[in-house]
Amino acid sequence: MGKVITVAMHKGGVGKTSFVTNLVGAIARKDKNKRILVIDMDAQGNVGRSFGKPVGKYENGLDDLFLGTKNISECIYKLFGNVDILPVTPEMAFLELKLFVEMQKTKRPLSILDDELGYIKDDYDYIFIDTPPTLNFIVGNALKVSDGVLIPFEPEPFGVDGLVRIIKVLDYYRKELSIDVEVLGVVGLRVTPYKTHSKNMSLARKACEKAKIKMFDSAISRTVRYSDAVDKQNLPATLTKINQKQKDPVIDYFVLLDEMIKEGVL
Ligand SMILES: Nc1ncnc2c1ncn2[C@@H]1O[C@H](COP(=O)(O)OP(=O)(O)OP(=O)(O)O)[C@@H](O)[C@H]1O
Ligand SMILES: [Mg+2]
């Protein structure tokens, strides 16, 4: 049965989507037989856009699933190789408003995705869910169905506060909503060797230690390589040509992947 992993951090632009797409790229590159589904939960549709598929390219999507107008197999499309996508359509932007009205009729609002994924979970080794920078009830659906959460952390000022906050919110989901969600780990993203970043990385490690959460030793360094790959090649950088000799920074993802496998996270 597929392991479901949500990537969440309620801060915009920290690299969540880039992290999901590059990690999926690294897994697929390492083992072409792994069957992976990527679920896009963000109306921006940046998962598809990272592969040159703009919002509007797909007829059906997650929004149809939540509204009950399509079943899950009608909302899944091939992305590349053994990797599929459950995208969003332009209607995703109106989903919360529509559901606010519909919600009166739904008895289990946090289980909509859980119920649907049950039909297809066996078809995949991994299911990754990319989330918007909020922790709304749609993300609550992701947490409900997930085996664990990966939290990207950018070591900028206020970043540690954000990390502590998301850990608290996850505690709330666990205690008040009986959503048993495990934090699989925190990953440093867009990290530079500069002093502020080193300081914030070590503050984050301390916060994780206190909360008994794993922070991976490997981190992803800051480089234009990621935006360049999407911009010029319509691909996550981990799926582009990698220059081993010149220490391509994208190798970070493969080092992280090895650590995740070694730690039993993947
Ligand atoms: N390691 C990195 N170094 C430098 N830039 C990066 C890195 N990872 C991602 N980026 C870039 O940072 C920008 C924001 O990344 P991304 O869209 O993944 O963030 P996000 O958290 O998903 O944003 P949102 O909250 O809007 O969904 C993108 O242009 C992306 O290419
Ligand atoms: Mg995003």
Side-chain angles (χ1 to χ4, degrees):
M1 186 172 279
K3 184 164 188 173
V4 186
I5 297 174
T6 288
V7 173
M9 178 62 156
H10 59 314
K11 196 163 186 292
V14 293
K16 295 178 291 297
T17 305
S18 177
F19 176 70
V20 170
T21 52
N22 279 290
L23 188 61
V24 164
I27 296 171
R29 196 162 185 161
K30 193 177 162 85
D31 184 350
K32 290 192 172 48
N33 294 319
K34 287 277 185 256
R35 299 159 308 161
I36 303 172
L37 174 67
V38 194
I39 301 178
D40 196 350
M41 278 210 155
D42 191 340
Q44 296 177 95
N46 287 348
V47 173
R49 288 166 77 176
S50 304
F51 290 87
K53 309 258 179 4
V55 188
K57 170 91 187 163
Y58 298 106
E59 201 173 321
N60 307 330
L62 191 77
D63 33 304
D64 292 296
L65 211 62
F66 272 82
L67 292 170
T69 50
K70 297 280 179 225
N71 65 46
I72 193 158
S73 51
E74 293 173 295
C75 301
I76 292 178
Y77 300 84
K78 187 180 161 90
L79 197 54
F80 70 95
N82 264 336
V83 180
D84 290 344
I85 182 170
L86 199 172
V88 291
T89 81
E91 294 300 306
M92 185 71 187
F94 307 100
L95 181 66
E96 277 216 73
L97 275 174
K98 285 186 185 171
L99 280 174
F100 185 70
V101 178
E102 285 285 314
M103 201 62 90
Q104 326 300 333
K105 304 178 203 161
T106 312
K107 287 209 179 69
R108 293 167 10 104
L110 287 170
S111 299
I112 302 170
L113 187 61
D114 197 0
D115 293 344
E116 286 292 332
L117 271 191
Y119 295 110
I120 53 120
K121 238 171 147 182
D122 282 346
D123 298 343
Y124 297 96
D125 295 301
Y126 299 115
I127 298 173
F128 284 95
I129 308 178
D130 181 32
T131 61
T134 47
L135 286 172
N136 55 16
F137 98 94
I138 296 174
V139 177
N141 267 264
L143 298 176
K144 174 98 170 90
V145 73
S146 290
D147 296 296
V149 185
L150 286 170
I151 303 176
F153 166 76
E154 192 185 13
E156 287 290 306
F158 314 127
V160 181
D161 296 342
L163 180 61
V164 171
R165 226 169 24 242
I166 191 171
I167 292 170
K168 279 193 184 145
V169 174
L170 292 174
D171 262 346
Y172 175 85
Y173 271 96
R174 213 172 282 128
K175 286 186 192 127
E176 304 293 328
L177 304 172
S178 304
I179 292 179
D180 185 19
V181 62
E182 183 195 354
V183 179
L184 298 172
V186 174
V187 184
L189 271 195
R190 296 160 50 122
V191 181
T192 66
Y194 300 120
K195 225 175 178 176
T196 313
H197 276 195
S198 310
K199 185 192 83 189
N200 288 329
M201 282 297 279
S202 72
L203 284 175
R205 283 194 194 284
K206 279 189 191 131
C208 286
E209 223 168 89
K210 197 168 161 214
K212 299 193 169 61
I213 286 173
K214 177 171 184 52
M215 183 154 177
F216 294 98
D217 294 335
S218 341
I220 309 299
S221 26
R222 181 175 293 184
T223 159
V224 291
R225 188 74 172 76
Y226 298 105
S227 28
D228 265 3
V230 170
D231 199 44
K232 300 196 177 106
Q233 299 184 63
N234 285 325
L235 281 176
T238 51
L239 288 169
T240 61
K241 189 167 183 288
I242 293 172
N243 193 333
Q244 302 277 358
K245 276 195 198 126
Q246 290 191 1
K247 283 218 161 172
D248 193 322
V250 171
I251 293 168
D252 284 350
Y253 269 98
F254 294 88
V255 175
L256 174 68
L257 178 57
D258 286 343
E259 185 182 352
M260 286 178 163
I261 292 169
K262 192 170 137 238
E263 294 290 331
V265 168
L266 290 179

